[in-house]
Amino acid sequence: MKHDLSPAVERARDAALGAADRNGTGVVRLTDWLLGLLEEDEGKPASLLERTGADLADVRAALGDRGDWLHPPAPSEYTIYAAARERGLVLRGDPALTSEFVFLALLNADAGFRDQLAGVGVRVDAIEALLDAKLYVAAPADDAEPVFVVPESTEHIDAARVVDANLNRAREAFRVLDDYCRFVLDDRVLTEEVKAMRHDLAAASARIPPALLLAARNTPGDVGTDVTAGGEYARESPSQVAAVNLKRAQEALRSIEEYGKVFGPELGRAVEAVRYRAYTLERAVLAGATARGRLAGAKLYVLLTGAQCVSSLDFTIAEAAAGGAQVFQLREKTMTDRELIDRAERMRRWTRDAGVLYIVNDRPDVARLVGADGVHLGQDDLPVAAARRIVGPDALIGVSTHTPEQVRRAVLDGADYIGVGPTFPSRTKEFDHFPGLDFVRFVAAETSLPAFALGGINLSNAGQVVEAGLTRVAVSSAIAEEDEPQPVAARFRQILGG
Ligand SMILES: Cc1ncc(COP(=O)(O)OP(=O)(O)O)c(N)n1
Ligand SMILES: Cc1nc(C(=O)O)sc1CCOP(=O)(O)O
Ligand SMILES: [Mg+2]
């Protein structure tokens, strides 16, 4: 039967028959065929090997010299061509007898021989994936447009290799961050965010056919995988591990974003969104760590409005601090700016003398002008990022929260602590809605950020807050309206666990 062979296949067959003649056995071996197909550096089989990461010289040497290898006889020409046509039809819809499909048929002809070839870097699955035209038309993911249609392009293989390597880096970094948020911080909001980012990255990268990523993978051949930077094995603390991996994730995402553009604009855009979230996560994780440190022992936080205090403000601060209050907020809602800055400056001195933290309510500008330790923001006040630009990186920023979504937002916005309330009806401020102790329970389970329950908390009900899971409270009337704030503050501290 006459086969319609391409010229390259004809040359390879003649070379194989010639080799069989020369070795005197007359038996054509798989090795003879393969060497015939790999004769030309520019040929398609040679190019397939190189593009899937094999070293052409190594493969040729192994086929020619390896005395310890089995060199099984090749199947009959009829069998080889039938297998090649079948592969061509399945992968390309074309039964033409071309060199790449004959090459594939020979690589698959004997399982033991195939294993030997794997030992010198020949990856038959990857070669098959490269020849599979279907893989180059990515299935539209959800709402995304089809990504790219390209039969064989070295550029896409190169870009896929970079994307694949960086997807692995990003996935590994996210895994480390997941462990940090879950086990070190014990923070569900952050853990969920890391999980969501991993998921969104996977969805974005699904725009590149997985088989193409696999085909492009060449770990042993990747330059630099065995190079270790000096500091690679030195980590001082879990938070440093997290910091390093946040950077690693951001760098990997940036690389995926840039090289992903080779496959169309969609992938780049989707990965860019994940990268921005990685910056937000970094701020939340790292700022949270600093805040947790500064507020570690802070249990009792006192909100003070001059007009509400039965004694003078300076007396109330000194007494409450002596009783164990550790954070004081200036909360004046009706003063002119002149009056406010004057009071804020004096309160800076009193709180410094008492050795306690000092927060200004509502006004980052005033907090900065008087050198306060931080500012407290409500849901209608400036957003965290804007306030941060005013108060600087070291100031504490607190955020009022009344719903689970506000807690999640505050954590991811980089708040340093949250107010959680209102818990009970308050003499200081009127509310029509009380998230109450259920919300306290939710916050206690959900975030590791310092969280102060507030709203109508007094010595009689503070124990319920502790039972619900929070051991920090913020109070106003319970201290401001007392003639003797010191013993009250001390009793609060006892209830809150010292
Ligand atoms: C610690 C703390 N938590 C919550 C608040 C309330 O802030 P906000 O909702 O902005 O209301 P005002 O206090 O500004 O009336 C707070 N001040 N402190
Ligand atoms: C100002 C304020 N904000 C709250 C909130 O839940 O956001 S509760 C509250 C009043 C806190 O004062 P007292 O301890 O006297 O109830
Ligand atoms: Mg406010």
Side-chain angles (χ1 to χ4, degrees):
M1 178 183 173
K2 169 115 181 62
H3 296 283
D4 199 7
L5 304 182
S6 75
V9 176
E10 271 183 15
R11 285 196 298 277
R13 184 203 49 197
D14 293 347
L17 293 175
D21 279 349
R22 280 194 300 281
N23 73 26
T25 63
V27 177
V28 183
R29 304 169 309 168
L30 278 174
T31 311
D32 302 322
W33 257 107
L34 290 172
L35 280 171
L37 284 167
L38 292 175
E39 212 141 73
E40 296 156 57
D41 282 351
E42 307 301 315
K44 286 182 184 169
S47 150
L48 283 168
L49 278 185
E50 288 196 316
R51 286 167 47 204
T52 51
D55 183 300
L56 194 50
D58 281 357
V59 177
R60 279 202 187 111
L63 288 170
D65 302 344
R66 293 291 291 258
D68 56 332
W69 271 24
L70 295 172
H71 290 279
S76 69
E77 278 188 61
Y78 176 85
T79 308
I80 294 170
Y81 301 149
R85 280 189 204 287
E86 187 266 344
R87 287 287 80 197
L89 260 177
V90 170
L91 300 176
R92 286 283 166 82
D94 179 359
L97 280 172
T98 52
S99 60
E100 62 270 44
F101 288 102
V102 170
F103 186 55
L104 189 58
L106 290 164
L107 292 175
N108 276 317
D110 182 289
F113 193 64
R114 190 178 147 141
D115 289 346
Q116 288 178 158
L117 287 167
V120 287
V122 177
R123 300 164 58 229
V124 181
D125 290 350
I127 290 170
E128 180 142 345
L130 274 183
L131 292 173
D132 191 343
K134 291 188 295 304
L135 296 178
Y136 293 86
V137 187
D142 304 334
D143 53 339
E145 62 209 41
V147 179
F148 67 103
V149 180
V150 51
E152 277 184 56
S153 139
T154 316
E155 282 75 22
H156 282 99
I157 294 293
D158 292 342
R161 182 170 295 167
V162 180
V163 169
D164 179 60
N166 282 287
L167 278 172
N168 285 333
R169 270 184 206 128
R171 275 193 286 260
E172 285 164 12
F174 281 140
R175 169 58 59 206
V176 176
L177 290 167
D178 183 296
D179 285 343
Y180 183 73
C181 296
R182 189 185 301 270
F183 299 117
V184 180
L185 298 182
D186 194 14
D187 192 307
R188 246 191 252 179
V189 175
L190 292 173
T191 309
E192 285 300 312
E193 176 63 3
V194 172
K195 191 170 146 203
M197 287 168 68
R198 269 203 344 244
H199 175 270
D200 289 357
L201 178 62
S205 62
R207 291 173 164 85
I208 304 179
L212 175 59
L213 291 174
L214 206 61
R217 186 171 298 170
N218 180 24
T219 312
D222 280 351
V223 180
T225 44
D226 55 347
V227 179
T228 331
E232 188 64 20
Y233 291 109
R235 298 282 182 271
E236 281 169 10
S237 61
S239 66
Q240 198 198 1
V241 173
V244 167
N245 280 278
L246 279 158
K247 283 276 171 283
R248 182 171 288 160
Q250 288 159 9
E251 286 163 9
L253 290 169
R254 179 80 215 196
S255 201
I256 298 168
E257 187 183 322
E258 288 301 320
Y259 287 94
K261 289 175 186 164
V262 173
F263 302 98
E266 280 284 301
L267 177 63
R269 271 200 290 271
V271 175
E272 184 184 40
V274 181
R275 182 165 60 86
Y276 284 141
R277 280 164 67 191
Y279 295 132
T280 309
L281 181 74
E282 178 177 33
R283 212 174 42 221
V285 169
L286 300 184
T290 317
R292 271 175 281 267
R294 282 180 82 185
L295 290 168
K299 299 286 180 112
L300 183 57
Y301 182 143
V302 181
L303 281 58
L304 291 178
T305 306
Q308 193 185 21
C309 290
V310 295
S311 309
S312 67
L313 261 182
D314 54 335
F315 174 83
T316 308
I317 292 168
E319 286 293 298
Q326 300 122 311
V327 188
F328 286 81
Q329 179 187 116
L330 176 62
R331 179 175 179 271
E332 297 292 356
K333 305 296 285 187
T334 55
M335 284 185 160
T336 64
D337 282 5
R338 292 278 174 99
E339 289 167 334
L340 181 64
I341 194 92
D342 178 56
R343 175 152 295 174
E345 274 169 352
R346 279 190 282 146
M347 188 142 160
R348 171 68 286 183
R349 287 198 295 279
W350 299 327
T351 48
R352 186 168 284 132
D353 290 348
V356 292
L357 287 171
Y358 171 37
I359 307 289
V360 173
N361 191 35
D362 292 342
R363 298 284 298 265
D365 53 344
V366 175
R368 175 165 177 182
L369 285 169
V370 303
D373 296 300
V375 63
H376 187 88
L377 305 169
Q379 291 294 321
D380 294 329
D381 299 323
L382 278 183
V384 173
R388 180 65 73 201
R389 290 210 291 277
I390 299 171
V391 294
D394 299 328
L396 294 168
I397 298 185
V399 171
S400 308
T401 63
H402 317 288
T403 66
E405 177 51 27
Q406 288 172 0
V407 173
R408 206 185 75 81
R409 199 59 274 152
V411 171
L412 295 178
D413 282 351
D416 296 312
Y417 73 86
I418 51 176
V420 178
T423 312
F424 306 110
S426 161
R427 288 208 297 275
T428 305
K429 185 170 173 177
E430 278 190 16
F431 296 95
D432 0 297
H433 176 64
F434 291 88
L437 289 168
D438 282 346
F439 185 43
V440 170
R441 265 185 284 278
F442 168 85
V443 170
E446 207 68 8
T447 179
S448 60
L449 209 58
F452 295 86
L454 81 165
I457 293 174
N458 53 42
L459 290 179
S460 313
N461 59 23
Q464 295 177 48
V465 173
V466 175
E467 274 169 26
L470 290 186
T471 56
R472 305 173 196 262
V473 298
V475 297
S476 188
S477 49
I479 291 283
E481 296 177 9
E482 286 293 332
D483 291 331
E484 294 184 46
Q486 180 171 349
V488 179
R491 180 71 192 118
F492 265 120
R493 288 295 305 269
Q494 276 177 343
I495 296 169
L496 298 169

